[in-house]
Amino acid sequence: HLNNFTLHPVRGSSIINANETLLRLGAVDNEYRTTSRGIDMNLFPLRPELSRAVVEAWRVKRRLETIARTAIVASAIEAGGLQYYTRATNDSWKGLLRETTADDIIAQYDLMRATEQYYDGMHVDERALLQLDIDPKNAYRAHRQLGKVLRAMGISLSDIHLSEPTPDEEQDIRDCMTAGMVDMIYRRLQARRHEDGPIYANVLSGRETTVARALSDRSQLAGDPSLIAAWPRWYEIHRKPNKQ
């Protein structure tokens, strides 16, 4: 039994859901045996959905630049995103985005590229990153994680000329990332709206992930699409101090 080998008990439903996700990602077959794709996914220190995205770029004979760009985005998301969200921030990170950036996947790519200069392989320049409203801890984790992912594929960024991606090259990144987001498709609910926009719900009804959500006001996604592939957002709860 799995719980004999874990520090904390795991619910049976969580194990079933995890197996179903791996099945949909192609990491296991119908007998829940690891596939060749699953073996490749296991090479990367990423959650399965992100490993699947990297494998999609790596094993489908895409251009080296696409592989590197997908790894960059996956590493940023694995770290929790590079933006620093507190009441004291001014969202200065938006100034690091290109004018053409119109979704959050490409936004993470822009932020990773813009913060490379503040990472020396061992440390990050915390003061400089905080001035840009970039989370220093997440930036450090993301760039360190990227190095691990690229090494697993035998790739070095120093051997790649990563120019500003064209619209077609950006779409390649999205195609790879969404290959791992089969459980993260949300549909717009016509009858419900948040005060600032539409409400979305996961298309996999009956699962724990089926929670109505509104797009964050920090999202770079343009318009109100009927379907989106998205990671549930991270947020902080600010409480007033208890009066003595």
Side-chain angles (χ1 to χ4, degrees):
H1 193 276
L2 178 63
N3 284 329
N4 294 332
F5 303 94
T6 60
L7 293 176
H8 305 287
V10 180
R11 290 183 302 172
S13 61
S14 297
I15 297 173
I16 293 172
N17 288 340
N19 282 334
E20 289 178 351
T21 295
L22 292 174
L23 180 63
R24 283 190 288 273
L25 292 173
V28 297
D29 61 21
N30 290 330
E31 302 296 325
Y32 295 105
R33 294 172 298 196
T34 305
T35 63
S36 59
R37 178 183 291 165
I39 292 172
D40 287 342
M41 288 169 56
N42 197 45
L43 294 173
F44 305 111
L46 301 167
R47 66 192 73 184
E49 297 87 352
L50 297 173
S51 290
R52 176 67 181 87
V54 174
V55 169
E56 178 69 16
W58 187 34
R59 292 306 195 194
V60 185
K61 306 299 181 183
R62 296 182 186 268
R63 298 172 63 243
L64 189 59
E65 291 83 357
T66 299
I67 298 173
R69 287 170 177 144
T70 302
I72 287 171
V73 174
S75 298
I77 295 176
E78 177 69 30
L82 269 63
Q83 301 96 318
Y84 192 42
Y85 295 146
T86 69
R87 284 184 172 179
T89 61
N90 297 310
D91 291 345
S92 297
W93 56 268
K94 291 183 178 179
L96 302 176
L97 304 181
R98 291 171 294 129
E99 292 183 1
T100 57
T101 295
D103 66 68
D104 300 305
I105 287 177
I106 304 303
Q108 289 302 316
Y109 175 79
D110 288 354
L111 295 178
M112 284 288 283
R113 294 289 287 154
T115 56
E116 285 177 357
Q117 60 184 306
Y118 303 112
Y119 174 69
D120 64 7
M122 294 294 294
H123 309 89
V124 292
D125 185 337
E126 293 191 12
R127 179 177 297 181
L129 291 175
L130 286 173
Q131 290 178 345
L132 296 170
D133 291 328
I134 295 293
D135 187 319
K137 292 182 179 179
N138 284 9
Y140 172 77
R141 285 195 291 261
H143 285 288
R144 185 174 176 82
Q145 197 83 327
L146 174 61
K148 294 178 181 178
V149 171
L150 293 176
R151 282 194 295 273
M153 294 183 287
I155 296 174
S156 172
L157 278 183
S158 61
D159 298 330
I160 307 172
H161 176 63
L162 285 180
S163 57
E164 190 172 291
T166 65
D168 286 344
E169 289 169 338
E170 289 184 356
Q171 188 57 49
D172 285 340
I173 301 171
R174 297 187 194 96
D175 289 344
C176 293
M177 292 303 302
T178 54
M181 299 173 73
V182 293
D183 286 353
M184 299 174 183
I185 308 300
Y186 291 78
R187 71 181 184 279
R188 188 178 64 222
L189 301 180
Q190 301 293 342
R192 297 178 58 187
R193 286 185 67 85
H194 183 263
E195 59 182 7
D196 296 321
I199 295 293
Y200 290 84
N202 193 284
V203 299
L204 296 177
S205 60
R207 289 175 56 85
E208 293 177 352
T209 53
T210 307
V211 178
R213 300 178 181 274
L215 285 175
S216 168
D217 58 5
R218 293 184 173 96
S219 175
Q220 299 304 297
L221 185 64
D224 297 335
S226 59
L227 287 174
I228 59 174
W231 290 82
R233 68 178 180 226
W234 292 267
Y235 61 92
E236 296 182 357
I237 299 175
H238 299 276
R239 295 184 175 91
K240 294 181 180 179
N242 295 327
K243 293 182 179 180
Q244 300 296 328

